[in-house]
Amino acid sequence: MLGIAAAVGASTLYSLGVALQAMDAKEAPEEAHLRLALAWRLVRRGRWLLGTGLSILGFPLQLLALVLAPLVVVQPALAAGLLVLLVAGERMLGERPGRYEYCAVVAIVIGVVGAGLFAPSNTTATAAPWKIAVVLSAVGALALLPYALRAFHHPVAGLTIFCAGCGFAWSGIATKLAANDLSTGYVLTGLVWAASTALASGVGTLSEMSSLQSRPAIQVAPVVFVTQTVIPVIVAPVLFGEYFDTTPLGGWPLIASLAVLVAGAAALARSPLLVAMMEPQRVSAPSDSTASPRAASAETSRSKPATDSAEPSTSTTSTSPARIGR
């Protein structure tokens, strides 16, 4: 349970950090889509840098969590950061969560507790280098796919959202590799893996912020979160020997707990209250009672068609609370 506590601390810092970053990302011009110009614009914003600093502070806690607990538990437990955003949204906007939000919160709590109770034994075992290379190459290729398509002037908005999650999934796997190496005395390789997570998270962040230029947050948030959670859980048995069938009742209670947790987090990521919290104009003027967060979110959702767009729209959208597993 100490590992889960560390994961909750990390996710709290990650969530607060991305909330600050997202406020600046939504104001970026469309020509910066999937370009380093977007990153260059953001690194000159004090609020964005503050959010980045909070995310950096969360990394050691995630590393500690992976030393104490298996990846299949830590990565989904990072969803707890959404609860922090929910509380912050209630205080900043003065609007109480509804039944939808409470049901999602209950699902997350049940999932985290269940994952802790039925988790496989933590291990520092690591697969053969060729297996690690194959898995990370595949995940990395997916993360970089939008940039390859951008070179041929064929970016796909929906694909970019998924690939952003792949970038963060790569970071999560590399963080586990760093934790294993550091705990077994391979300090140099552990530090190399730790440094690589910054690059992977940078790619994921740029993709996510670019996605928010052409899609509303309630479409971006759940896809990014689910992708960055599910991929590490799927590869954990192959890379780290965290087999589900070694847990009680053949692993089914663990699978059910993880499914409930992911479903609850994906639902909460779509909460209009969370989306509205990260709109700068709503936060700076909470006394404006002409539109509720739910109404604002609904208007945002209606402003964009459901089909994929090859290029970002001329108007920006609300930003994403989903980036919680770096």
Side-chain angles (χ1 to χ4, degrees):
M1 297 305 289
L2 289 177
I4 292 179
V8 170
S11 66
T12 298
L13 292 170
Y14 287 148
S15 296
L16 293 176
V18 75
L20 293 172
Q21 289 176 318
M23 291 180 185
D24 286 327
K26 70 164 293 189
E27 300 171 358
E30 62 174 287
E31 59 268 19
H33 185 74
L34 289 176
R35 295 184 182 274
L36 289 177
L38 176 59
W40 176 241
R41 174 189 175 92
L42 292 176
V43 297
R44 292 181 292 170
R45 299 292 187 93
R47 182 171 54 188
W48 194 89
L49 290 174
L50 176 59
T52 301
L54 290 174
S55 295
I56 292 173
L57 290 175
F59 178 75
L61 286 176
Q62 184 182 3
L63 200 62
L64 175 62
L66 288 167
V67 170
L68 299 173
L71 180 65
V72 297
V73 173
V74 172
Q75 199 70 13
L78 294 174
L82 289 174
L83 308 186
V84 176
L85 288 182
L86 186 66
V87 173
E90 180 181 359
R91 291 183 177 275
M92 295 170 72
L93 296 175
E95 299 211 16
R96 297 183 60 81
R99 183 180 301 175
Y100 175 91
E101 286 82 8
Y102 284 124
C103 288
V105 167
V106 170
I108 292 174
V109 172
I110 291 175
V112 170
V113 173
L117 292 175
F118 300 109
S121 299
N122 190 31
T123 175
T124 57
T126 303
W130 71 267
K131 288 186 179 180
I132 297 174
V134 169
V135 171
L136 289 184
S137 295
V139 178
L142 289 173
L144 294 172
L145 183 58
Y147 303 93
L149 294 176
R150 185 70 174 83
F152 295 99
H153 306 286
H154 294 296
V156 180
L159 180 64
T160 302
I161 301 171
F162 167 74
C163 294
C166 290
F168 296 130
W170 202 102
S171 178
I173 297 168
T175 302
K176 175 61 176 177
L177 290 167
N180 282 359
D181 283 343
L182 291 174
S183 63
T184 54
Y186 295 97
V187 177
L188 182 59
T189 54
L191 292 177
V192 170
W193 283 121
S196 73
T197 64
L199 179 60
S201 294
V203 172
T205 298
L206 183 58
S207 297
E208 183 182 21
M209 299 302 167
S210 297
S211 297
L212 291 164
Q213 293 182 290
S214 58
R215 288 294 183 92
I218 58 174
Q219 293 181 17
V220 176
V223 175
V224 173
F225 170 75
V226 170
T227 303
Q228 72 178 31
T229 300
V230 171
I231 290 178
V233 169
I234 290 175
V235 304
V238 176
L239 297 185
F240 308 112
E242 298 177 2
Y243 296 103
F244 284 35
D245 57 6
T246 62
T247 63
L249 300 178
W252 288 108
L254 176 60
I255 293 173
S257 298
L258 294 177
V260 169
L261 191 159
V262 171
L268 189 58
R270 292 178 59 89
S271 167
L273 180 58
L274 293 187
V275 173
M277 187 197 73
M278 288 183 288
E279 293 181 16
Q281 59 268 46
R282 289 286 293 143
V283 173
S284 61
S287 60
D288 180 9
S289 59
T290 58
S292 68
R294 298 178 186 279
S297 177
E299 184 63 29
T300 299
S301 300
R302 290 193 296 269
S303 67
K304 192 73 183 174
T307 57
D308 283 355
S309 172
E311 293 292 338
S313 66
T314 57
S315 61
T316 52
T317 62
S318 304
T319 48
S320 171
R323 216 194 80 210
I324 55 174
R326 326 289 187 266

